[in-house]
Each structure stands twice: as structure tokens, then as C-alpha cells.
Amino acid sequence: MRILSIETSCDETAVALVEAKGGLKKPRFKVLKNEVASQIEVHRPYGGVEPGLARREHIKNLPAVCGSVVREKDWKDIDAVAVTVGPGLEIALWAGIDFARELAKKHKKPLLGANHLEGHLYSPLLSLKESEKNPKLPAIGLVVSGGHTILLALESIDRWKKIGETRDDAVGEAFDKVARLLGLPYPGGPEIQKVAEKGNAESIDFPRPMIHQRNFDFSFSGLKTSVLYYLRDKKLTSKLRADVAASFQRAAIETLVWKTIKAAWAHKAKSVFLAGGVAANKLLRETLSKRAKEEGLEFYMPEFKYSTDNAAMIAVAAYMNHEKGKKYRIKAQANLNL
Ligand code: KG4
Ligand code: ZN
């Protein structure tokens, strides 16, 4: 099944063309095209994403991004159009939905709604080769993005239970807010990672929130506040900035890794899935992969380019739901969850 997919939930205008096969038994994907037009430069002066601007940029960019993915003659081989219906910024989502609806109508193709978080969760499947075995189950899934921090227990590839999530800020949001405290531009995650390379991660003992509690929830706003208090009355030198970035990054990531491994023990998991924008973080990728292997767990994560928002993962989510017979309503659902 060949799917043209569209993603506009936040500040990336993304379109992909993906060949999917194998059903729920052996889902395998070939990404034929994957284009992302980033709006980072447009939002940077505001220190975060401006919804109205995001919508305007999506509407402006969609025709060209889509045109670089699919030509008129390609449509005869396309089976469906997929679009993110949520979660995300409502008016940004509508930009993608309206565009996708027009395309589907014009080319007489079915329109499939997709859940952005399912896209992230399934993004590691994009790298599975035909010859590789399916991921081992049960699995623990850690989905970490700008808006979400969720732990899931996956019983099968299409059935899961949410076992924990953040009670306040998402971990990506904490990276973005701490970056701002350090005078670094938006988005903060990659900036903190870069600055942290020059810092000493052991120099400041920031808290590992909720690490000793017997649940799988997270809380990152206290960690951010600790950084705020630590910086108060201090002169922000480049050494201090690097040490704070490194120590904060270490605290946030150790918390994620520890809770994920504890969840894997509790649920007798055989593997761990890592996904979402924060999965682009090098320390998180390395630390969780190492810890999972030490515990005898298989570890799956998306390629770097499929960690942050993209449309290839939206095609995967749409395909999995199509195979499962699950349909999303084609309307913006800002608060959709897993
Ligand atoms: O999944 P995503 O692209 O968009 C949402 O669905 O939210 O995630 C964006 C988040 C931002 O908070 C960004 O700072 C964070 O992912 N991020 C990172 C890194 N790259 C992106 N956080 C830590 N380290 C990174 N290298
Ligand atoms: Zn995302």
C-alpha cells in the first residue's frame, strides 16, 4: 500500500511517500520520499512556536513541499492520503487536514487520519529491514517530545497500556525552558546538547525527580525550577552555562532511563522502544541503549531524521490503524493522546 502522508501539527511542514506492506504481522516500510520544511527560523525570535505563524507557514509551504514529493504521474500508484489529526496546535493541524482533504478529493483517494504520537511510537519500525525479525514483545515504549513524556507497556504491536506520563512539563519542554534560562535559542534540546559537550555533568547535583516513587510518572517542572534557583545571583559565564547544561541534561536523562528500565522489569518486557523529538538526544540514545542491552533487552529507536517531527512516521501510523481497522475522525483534535 502506497501512502502520501502530511504532518503539520507543530512547526514542521512535512510530506512523505511511503510504501507499506506486511500488515500487523510483519509491518515493513520503504520511505520513497521524505521532505521536511522547518519553520524554526520564523519562530526563533518569539522563543517558541507562534500558532498563527505556524499555520500561515504551513499553508504557504505545503504546495511546494508536496510538489517535491509527488508528481502528477505518481498518483496512479498511490492508494491513500494520510494526515495528522492530533495532538498539536489546532489551527496548524487544520492547515494539513484541509490540504490533505483537497488532495484526496482531487485524486479520488481515501483519506486516513493519524495520531502524531502513534507516529512517534511507530517511528522505529521505519528502519526495520525485510530480513529482520519483528520487535520482541512485550515491550516498553518511551515517547518523549516537546508536549509529551509517556511510558507505555506494549502487549502487541497494536495494543498497549499507558503506564506513566508527566504530571507537569514534558521533558522536551524542560529542555526548551532551561535553554531559555541559559540564553540559548529555540528549540532548546539541540542547543543544550551542543553546549553540554563542553561542560562537566557532575559539577551540579540537580534532582532526579520522582525517581524513588513506585510509579512510572514523571515531573520535570521542579528540575527546571532548580536550574532557575541555581542560576539566581550568578554571572552566566560560558563555563557556568556549559556545566548547567551538562548537569541538567544528565539529570533529565538519568530519570528517563531509570524509570524506563524499572518499567521493563515490572512488565517483564523483552524490548524497549524509544521515540519522539527528545529521542534525537545523543546522551539519551546512548544511555538507554546501553542500559537496555545490559538488562538483556532489545532496543529500538528511530533513525535520527525520524526522531523529530516528520511525515514518514505519519504514514506508518496510518497504515497500522488501517490494518487494525481503526479510524480517526478527520478533524483537528488538539488533545488527542495515546
Ligand atoms: O517530537 P518533536 O519534534 O515535536 C513534538 O511533537 O513536540 O519534539 C520536539 C522537542 C523539542 O522540545 C526539542 O527541544 C526536543 O524535542 N529535542 C531535543 C533534541 N532535539 C529535539 N531534546 C534534547 N536533545 C535533542 N538533541
Ligand atoms: Zn512530535
Side-chain angles (χ1 to χ4, degrees):
M1 179 175 187
R2 195 166 283 195
I3 302 175
L4 180 89
S5 51
I6 294 168
E7 151 66 39
T8 64
S9 67
C10 193
D11 58 346
E12 317 280 11
T13 311
V15 182
L17 186 60
V18 176
E19 179 76 36
K21 62 174 192 177
L24 295 178
K25 281 228 168 74
K26 198 182 179 196
R28 292 296 182 273
F29 303 92
K30 194 165 160 195
V31 180
L32 305 171
K33 281 276 170 83
N34 182 52
E35 293 293 332
V36 183
S38 172
Q39 304 178 0
I40 284 175
E41 294 307 326
V42 179
H43 297 287
R44 196 162 263 167
Y46 301 88
V49 180
E50 264 291 308
L53 269 183
R55 175 179 168 81
R56 193 193 73 190
E57 289 293 302
H58 288 315
I59 292 172
K60 192 174 92 192
N61 294 335
L62 272 167
V65 179
C66 187
S68 68
V69 167
V70 67
R71 303 262 158 84
E72 208 53 38
K73 66 175 175 36
D74 300 326
W75 278 101
K76 65 179 186 334
D77 302 317
I78 292 175
D79 302 295
V81 176
V83 65
T84 306
V85 295
L89 303 168
E90 181 152 344
I91 58 172
L93 288 164
W94 274 119
I97 294 171
D98 289 340
F99 186 81
R101 196 181 264 144
E102 280 297 310
L103 271 183
K105 198 170 135 203
K106 180 173 169 211
H107 298 283
K108 299 189 176 60
K109 307 288 175 186
L111 181 57
L112 312 174
N115 178 333
H116 183 86
L117 294 172
E118 289 178 358
H120 277 305
L121 174 66
Y122 284 136
S123 60
L125 300 182
L126 281 164
S127 329
L128 276 187
K129 298 199 181 62
E130 183 66 41
S131 58
E132 268 177 285
K133 290 209 174 94
N134 280 344
K136 282 196 181 156
L137 295 157
I140 291 296
L142 173 66
V143 180
V144 275
S145 70
H148 298 85
T149 304
I150 302 174
L151 266 176
L152 303 166
L154 287 106
E155 213 176 286
S156 62
I157 200 72
D158 63 328
R159 289 226 330 255
W160 57 75
K161 196 171 73 195
K162 196 196 287 179
I163 56 170
E165 66 188 318
T166 183
R167 294 191 181 170
D168 40 57
D169 292 355
V171 63
E173 194 178 348
F175 269 86
D176 295 336
K177 287 179 175 168
V178 168
R180 208 179 303 176
L181 295 175
L182 294 175
L184 297 167
Y186 173 85
E191 298 290 331
I192 296 232
Q193 171 171 308
K194 197 159 59 182
V195 171
E197 278 169 22
K198 296 186 210 97
N200 176 1
E202 274 154 34
S203 56
I204 309 154
D205 191 18
F206 287 129
R208 273 70 174 150
M210 300 181 69
I211 207 157
H212 298 299
Q213 293 190 15
R214 292 171 62 86
N215 57 49
F216 300 113
D217 285 341
F218 301 95
S219 161
F220 288 102
S221 95
L223 174 55
K224 171 204 67 194
T225 310
S226 304
V227 174
L228 176 72
Y229 287 161
Y230 185 83
L231 289 171
R232 236 177 11 188
D233 309 324
K234 288 197 178 67
K235 190 172 176 299
L236 191 59
T237 60
S238 55
K239 179 171 175 355
L240 180 66
R241 184 185 280 126
D243 284 346
V244 169
S247 303
F248 159 77
Q249 178 177 250
R250 166 83 70 91
I253 280 163
E254 277 186 7
T255 307
L256 293 172
V257 170
W258 174 234
K259 287 249 164 170
T260 307
I261 296 295
K262 254 185 24 176
W265 290 338
H267 289 82
K268 300 191 171 38
K270 294 189 177 136
S271 70
V272 170
F273 277 59
L274 168 67
V278 183
N281 184 275
K282 214 167 142 241
L283 185 69
L284 176 57
R285 292 167 87 86
E286 286 170 6
T287 318
L288 189 53
S289 147
K290 183 165 165 275
R291 282 293 289 122
K293 279 176 194 145
E294 283 166 5
E295 297 295 332
L297 300 160
E298 298 279 332
F299 179 67
Y300 303 96
M301 65 181 168
E303 281 172 57
F304 184 76
K305 64 181 173 208
Y306 301 132
S307 294
T308 46
D309 289 350
N310 66 86
M313 69 182 195
I314 297 308
V316 177
Y319 178 70
M320 299 300 271
N321 280 315
H322 176 264
E323 293 301 298
K324 198 170 150 180
K326 179 174 172 183
K327 283 194 178 131
Y328 280 103
R329 285 177 65 197
I330 308 291
K331 68 186 270 271
Q333 298 167 59
N335 298 318
L336 197 61
N337 209 307
L338 278 172

